[in-house]
Structure formats: C-alpha cells, structure tokens
C-alpha cells in the first residue's frame, strides 16, 4: 500500500484551472481500483492519496497521467507501507 503526498508548487489559481481534469484522473483510478481514498491537505497546500497499486513502479506510471504532474503543478512523495492492523470496517486493506 502507498501514501502519496502531493505538494503544490504554484498558486491555487493555477491549481484550480486543472482541478476538473485532476478529478477526472482520480475518478478513473478509483474505477480501476488503484486509489482507495483521497483529499485536500489543510491548509490547502496539496493533497493525500491512499493507493493499493500493485507496485511502486506501477504507481509512478499512474502518477505520470495526473494533470497536476503533467503540468508540473505539484511534487509527489510516495511512501510504501504494509498495513498490519485496522478496524473491522477496513479489514479489506490487510488483504
């Protein structure tokens, strides 16, 4: 499993110009089963995505399709981890 931390490199006005395309990218990755949860950081300096991509190299290929990445609007930090404990409702994350 992976945590992707996006940090914006530009002003929010520029981010907002590509937000619709970014959301379409997110929706596609949810449909493919690659992303599990996502949202904005507070304060709004970027975002967080929880991914169940098959490998880090596969995730890096996925990120290359993000309009924020294509247009150099955000930096991406990927942290891989192995979930070992969760509550009952999220047990599927351990599979």
């Amino acid at each position: 499993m992976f945590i992707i931390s996006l940090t914006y490199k530009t002003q929010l006005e520029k981010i907002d110009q590509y937000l619709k395309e970014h959301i379409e990218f997110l929706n596609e990755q949810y449909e493919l089963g690659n992303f599990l949860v996502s949202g904005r950081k507070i304060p709004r300096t970027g975002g967080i995505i929880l991914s169940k991509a098959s490998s880090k190299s596969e995730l890096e290929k996925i990120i290359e399709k993000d309009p924020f990445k294509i247009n150099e609007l955000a930096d991406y930090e990927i942290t891989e981890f192995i979930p070992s404990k969760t509550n009952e409702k999220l047990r599927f994350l351990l599979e």
Side-chain angles (χ1 to χ4, degrees):
M1 186 161 307
F2 302 91
I3 299 170
I4 307 157
S5 178
L6 287 78
T7 303
Y8 299 146
K9 302 190 309 185
T10 188
Q11 297 179 343
L12 291 177
E13 292 79 18
K14 185 82 168 178
I15 296 297
D16 288 340
Q17 290 176 6
Y18 291 91
L19 190 57
K20 182 179 177 190
E21 293 174 50
H22 175 70
I23 292 170
E24 290 170 1
F25 161 78
L26 293 174
N27 289 341
E28 178 183 0
Q29 295 309 313
Y30 277 109
E31 288 176 23
L32 294 170
N34 293 320
F35 291 173
L36 300 171
V37 66
S38 59
R40 293 179 178 173
K41 292 179 183 176
I42 298 175
R44 192 174 168 207
T45 58
I48 299 289
I49 302 169
L50 184 61
S51 173
K52 202 164 182 178
S54 59
S55 68
K56 185 174 182 179
S57 62
E58 181 63 29
L59 182 55
E60 290 170 338
K61 290 177 188 174
I62 291 168
I63 289 171
E64 290 297 323
K65 300 175 187 176
D66 185 348
F68 285 177
K69 177 73 171 175
I70 293 167
N71 293 286
E72 300 181 5
L73 303 178
D75 288 323
Y76 296 73
E77 180 182 348
I78 300 171
T79 304
E80 184 172 7
F81 76 103
I82 299 171
S84 58
K85 192 159 186 69
T86 184
N87 71 28
E88 196 60 40
K89 292 178 182 177
L90 299 176
R91 177 114 6 238
F92 71 95
L93 295 174
L94 300 177
E95 299 170 356

